[in-house]
Amino acid sequence: MAIRGKKLRGNGIWEASRMMLPEHKSAIRTHRTRLGERARPELDEQRLEELEAALAEALESGAPTAVTTFGAYGDETVVGVVGKIDPIERYVKLTTAEETAWIPFADIVHAAPWRPDR
């Protein structure tokens, strides 16, 4: 029986090919990032009407409102006062303590009066 060379024993054949090109590293990082992405939920008519009613009520009352927006990697909740609803451009103006944000209506997945005890 012939003795095989060092390269063919154990993991020897792959030892010399451990180097990765920067392009390969970048492609692997991009792929791993995309694995965590979520699809945008499709809201039905009833849910859209509920969101519109909640935002209209928040605009009338001027009370702080928790608005949850869709994100590809996780939803984000912002608490603020609804200052304006633009039905033509489909944006909601939400004023927080730090900033004023124009949120696209298509990004909103939930809106409710803010309760600090929760």
Side-chain angles (χ1 to χ4, degrees):
M1 178 180 229
I3 297 177
R4 294 185 177 182
K6 183 177 177 187
K7 283 189 174 183
L8 298 179
R9 278 188 266 144
N11 198 22
I13 198 164
W14 298 108
E15 288 295 323
S17 62
R18 288 187 184 236
M19 183 182 80
M20 291 184 68
L21 295 174
E23 295 85 11
H24 295 158
K25 288 181 182 180
S26 175
I28 289 171
R29 272 191 235 112
T30 303
H31 176 70
R32 285 182 182 159
T33 302
R34 287 189 179 149
L35 286 176
E37 287 182 5
R38 302 177 317 151
R40 181 179 300 276
E42 290 292 326
L43 302 178
D44 63 352
E45 284 295 320
Q46 181 179 359
R47 184 69 187 130
L48 289 173
E49 288 175 8
E50 290 172 2
L51 283 174
E52 289 172 359
L55 290 170
E57 183 180 327
L59 179 63
E60 280 184 28
S61 69
T65 305
V67 177
T68 304
T69 57
F70 171 79
Y73 302 102
D75 294 342
E76 180 181 343
T77 301
V78 181
V79 177
V81 177
V82 176
K84 182 178 180 182
I85 298 174
D86 189 345
I88 296 171
E89 296 291 325
R90 309 275 299 161
Y91 279 91
V92 175
K93 179 182 177 183
L94 190 70
T95 305
T96 66
E98 297 86 29
E99 65 180 352
T100 299
W102 286 91
I103 303 171
F105 195 75
D107 289 349
I108 299 174
V109 293
H110 184 73
W114 182 62
R115 295 188 180 99
D117 58 317
R118 290 204 289 179

